[in-house]
Amino acid sequence: MNGGSGVEASAVRYRCDGCGNLTRFDVTVTRRTKEFRHFTVGGEVEIESVDILAEDTESVACRWCGASGDRIETLPAL
Ligand SMILES: [Zn+2]
């Protein structure tokens, strides 16, 4: 057990031009992943690791004022 799925969101941050929000966004993401699934004899499954093969951010919307598209600024990852 490693205590987690191992999936990390991409490090990109966002800023809302509408209200200045930096912290809360609805992000719609398409991910293509490869999972290591460990099945028990009883049929239960544990996902032991996930490799992200591809990730595409479809849209980002501000949770506070609802702005989206060009009004959401992408900040470079640290
Ligand atoms: Zn906003």
Side-chain angles (χ1 to χ4, degrees):
M1 293 284 286
N2 60 16
S5 67
V7 178
E8 292 182 21
S10 57
V12 174
R13 299 194 58 182
Y14 304 105
R15 192 181 79 83
C16 176
D17 271 348
C19 69
N21 168 30
L22 286 163
T23 55
R24 284 172 171 74
F25 298 91
D26 280 324
V27 183
T28 304
V29 180
T30 300
R31 283 198 186 96
R32 178 178 165 86
T33 59
K34 182 174 73 174
E35 299 175 345
F36 172 27
R37 296 188 182 182
H38 180 177
F39 294 87
T40 67
V41 177
E44 292 184 31
V45 59
E46 180 175 351
I47 299 174
E48 298 211 352
S49 70
V50 180
D51 290 336
I52 297 176
L53 304 178
E55 183 175 276
D56 182 40
T57 302
E58 294 184 18
S59 66
V60 182
C62 176
R63 287 288 296 192
W64 288 1
C65 72
S68 62
D70 291 344
R71 299 186 67 197
I72 304 297
E73 183 181 350
T74 300
L75 304 178
L78 297 175

